[in-house]
Amino acid sequence: MTTFPENLDPELVERLISSGGGELARKMGIEFLELSAEHSVATMPVEGNTQVVGILHGGAHVVLAESLGSVSSAIHAGPGRIAVGIEINASHSRSTTSGTVTAVCTAINLGRTLATHEIAISDDQGRRLSTVRMTNFLKDN
């Protein structure tokens, strides 16, 4: 069950619930646990998201991070506005072959036109796998 901020735009809540976070997020098995502009958490299974040698695909890390960072930025943007990703980078420091990974998204800067978040992805033992930074442009819908 996803936890939303109390004052969240009802239209955004409906979009998130009805879409499950988007088609790609659903395909990847991403589950949003907590959502806010400042702090968000999501999980994703390793199974089904691995590359040819059996480790979690680096691109899957980025999909998880971008999904979470985009939603956090959209929450910050507010009603009648959208968030559009303009920059993302990822540093992978460790691999994993099984279990579930957890992404924790923390706001670095929440401005009127830009929102920047850091997303830390860890394994079931709490070891950091990746650090991702994402910037979204916030604009009127």
Side-chain angles (χ1 to χ4, degrees):
M1 180 70 170
T2 305
T3 303
F4 296 102
E6 289 181 25
N7 59 346
L8 186 58
D9 176 18
E11 182 181 322
L12 180 56
V13 172
E14 174 56 31
R15 233 181 336 181
L16 289 169
I17 291 172
S18 67
S19 73
E23 191 172 330
L24 183 57
R26 286 194 319 270
K27 285 181 183 178
M28 304 289 288
I30 295 171
E31 291 187 41
F32 298 99
L33 305 178
E34 301 173 36
L35 294 174
S36 76
E38 298 83 12
H39 177 84
S40 296
V41 179
T43 60
M44 181 180 71
V46 173
E47 185 178 343
N49 294 314
T50 58
Q51 43 98 309
V52 70
V53 297
I55 62 174
L56 181 62
H57 196 291
H61 288 251
V62 177
V63 168
L64 173 59
E66 185 161 357
S67 298
L68 196 53
S70 293
V71 172
S72 294
S73 293
I75 291 169
H76 173 65
R81 303 188 80 213
I82 60 171
V84 179
I86 60 170
E87 187 271 339
I88 192 163
N89 67 65
S91 296
H92 306 304
S93 49
R94 177 177 213 110
S95 63
T96 189
T97 59
S98 63
T100 300
V101 295
T102 300
V104 177
C105 176
T106 305
I108 296 171
N109 181 64
L110 298 173
R112 175 157 166 43
T113 58
L114 294 176
T116 303
H117 290 86
E118 178 183 84
I119 302 95
I121 301 172
S122 59
D123 65 12
D124 288 330
Q125 291 76 45
R127 298 175 295 193
R128 188 175 288 216
L129 305 174
S130 294
T131 303
V132 181
R133 191 190 73 218
M134 178 181 195
T135 299
N136 279 278
F137 174 62
L138 310 177
K139 65 180 204 157
D140 293 337
N141 193 2

